[in-house]
Amino acid sequence: MTLLLSATGISKRFGGLLAIDNVNLAVPKAAIHAIIGPNGAGKTTLFNCLTSFVKPSAGEIYLNGARIDGLRPDLVASHGIARTYQNIRLFPDLTAIENIMVGLDAKSPESLLGALFATPAHHRKVRDTIARATALLAAVGLVGRGDRLARHLPYGDQRRLEIARAMSIDPVLLLLDEPAAGMNPVESHAMLELIRRLRDEFGLTIILIEHQMRVVMGISERITVLDHGACIAEGTPAEIRENSAVIAAYLGARAAKHGMDALERQG
Amino acid sequence: MASDLAQGVARRPIALPGGLRPAVNVTISVAVVCAFTVLVGLFGQFSDRAMVVGVLDIGHSLMLAAALAGGAVLARRQRMASVLIVALISGAVAGGLVQALVVVARWANLRWMLVSLTPVTLNRVGFLLPDDQAALVLAASGACAALVGAGLVLCGPIPRRIVLGALGGVVCAGLLRELIRGILGGLGGVDDWGFTYDGLLPAGAAVSAAIGALVTIRPGAARYAQLPPRVKLGARLLCLLVLLALPALTNDFVAQVMMLVCLYTLMGLGLNIELGLAGLVDLGFVAFFAVGAYTVGLLTADATGAGGHLTFFAALPFSIAFAALAGFLFGLPVLKVRGDYLAIATLGLGEIIRVLVLSDMLKPELGGAQGIVNIPKPALFGFVLSSPTRLFYMTAIMAAAAGYIAWRLQHSGLGRRWLAVREDEDVAQALGINLVGVKLSAYTMGAGFAGLAGGIFAGMVGSVFPQSFQLLVSVNVLAILVVGGIGSLPGVIIGAAALIGAPEVLRDLGEYRYLIYGIVVIAVVRLKPDGLSPKAIRQREAL
């Protein structure tokens, strides 16, 4: 089993606050890996470190054997890491399909002169881009909504569009930040199916942050648990469910005896 | 029900619906507005300019408009027929008050403070009549205007539109007389009965009123909407052709105004790339305009520091290139800052260039305050573009070419990347977009457009002075975008026509024409915040 992503000793300090403290992350190819933890545990900060939104204070990150920590975010993206955001960050005044085309264009830019003089090659390229964008829209279940402004899409569709846009740069690693946040059980189940399909059909490796235990336990092969910036547990869902440190972190030490099952039932 | 109504009527005196106070307020407001126009000199400036020759001057039109508005305000408060009587009385009293104020002002002699309050102006308020007759005339006209104003509110929408359209037609024809004279004069002979050099004649006014009314009720609109798209496109092209033919058919004034509109359209297209697409606020846009103008000046004129004696069209590509280079070099350090800070930094650039060309250091090359003169007129294969009309066509062709390029750019992958950066820099970067590269490309290309405009400006005017490159130019271009709709290409043309064309055409108003400029900007921002011609996608989604 070859590792796609390997991050060792990642720390991030904001002034006096140690947001992430010596976290290790090893994710094999085509895995679905979850990162969980209470609010403020440093999950999103870890994502930000992986994508170079912030520079880690210490540690090394390798993707497919190439070191990527400290690179400019656009170069990290060209190495094949794409992400979505906890608070949806689409390009609100662009249409759904344009949101995706931005990523497609960035991956393989068209010739500027071709665009200026509307050459046949340019038209072919545009047709191709539109076809690929339409296919991506279809892949996340947004058929026929390409012409709507992103800001006018319903909430669930915006989450799906964000995933499609992330897919547009043809990544090897997809980071999903709370993809099922704010969704009802039916919607989050559909999201779960979508994530699984992305892995199976596109061979993607997926790391997701998620609060809904039903989603996390149902989909991930391995789970990393963060609390106060530190990794307190790592293992399969079954191991995490039994881990007393995790239960204590989530529910407080006294409630630990009721176990993780209660939390899972709450969703 | 009926008894309620009867009670309501019984409780209120019929003569004063809504009570005494609104009527008094409106009366005083109208009188104060009229007095104000006299005191600050607006009236004095316009009282000798005819709206309709021998009938009405522009100064009194202002007063009548105030009374009209007063009547409308009254009627909107109380939508009853009896309000007409109130409006009548209110307008009459306001008119009498104005003449009373004139008498007081003559007696108090306030000229030491209000320079424009000359005895002649004061006498003109009352049509040079004796005071008692003047009061009567003013009261009668005030009463009529207020009555019409109230009547317009009370009557149905169609008569209202017809009357307003007719009034608008007369006002437009009266104010745009130079433009209309030019057009009619070019078409030959029509101006004898409708227009004189002083302004609109009564017959011309009647025609303008009829045209105005027709435009507002648009009798054939429904049938036009059903025409096939190809016919509509043809109609539009025909309008465009007529518009383009105007300068050739009419006089140099029209050509000059349209040339200025084209020039500002060119600059607007450039700033639209920076601000409208890439979201980079640029208050130093005039700097690139200056670089372009000086490049043409130095390369073509017999200036002291001149590099060569190129022809205008050979020098123009250098204008674009040097301006783009300036944009690139300046963009390198500055584009790392965002938002408001970028605006301040670019503001600095505009001033740096102006101060540089004024400086003693570069005086040997750039001529300092004396600038560069004797720039030869553009010539193509021995055909000298000397007249404003020929220069207009050159500018129009350049603007059309630039418009085509801007349109292609906007819909290219690069255009989408600009939009993405404008919407969310961080997310755009996380999609693999090189922020500095994308921003620099927008800045460089925008600067290139401004350089082209500057080069044309130099060839058009025949001289380049530092005074031509004030901050006001940058602000003008920015205002064009705001008024037309940021990010919209047709909006650039419409904005340029509204903000550059209208004040030029309204030269009659003297320095007050910038009042129009201000009013247009405020009205657009208040009433149509997306601009006069917002982007198509916005329009579609707004439905």
Side-chain angles (χ1 to χ4, degrees), chain A residues 1 27 45-46 68 72-73 104 114 127 171 189 192 206 224 230 251 253:
Chain A
M1 196 161 62
V27 183
T45 307
L46 180 60
I68 57 163
R72 265 201 339 250
L104 291 170
R127 263 199 303 276
H189 182 75
L192 202 135
I206 292 168
T224 297
L251 302 176

Side-chain angles (χ1 to χ4, degrees), chain B residues 1-14 80:
Chain B
M1 194 68 184
S3 67
D4 281 356
L5 205 66
Q7 264 185 352
V9 172
R11 231 186 281 132
R12 290 202 175 122
I14 293 170
M80 296 166 72

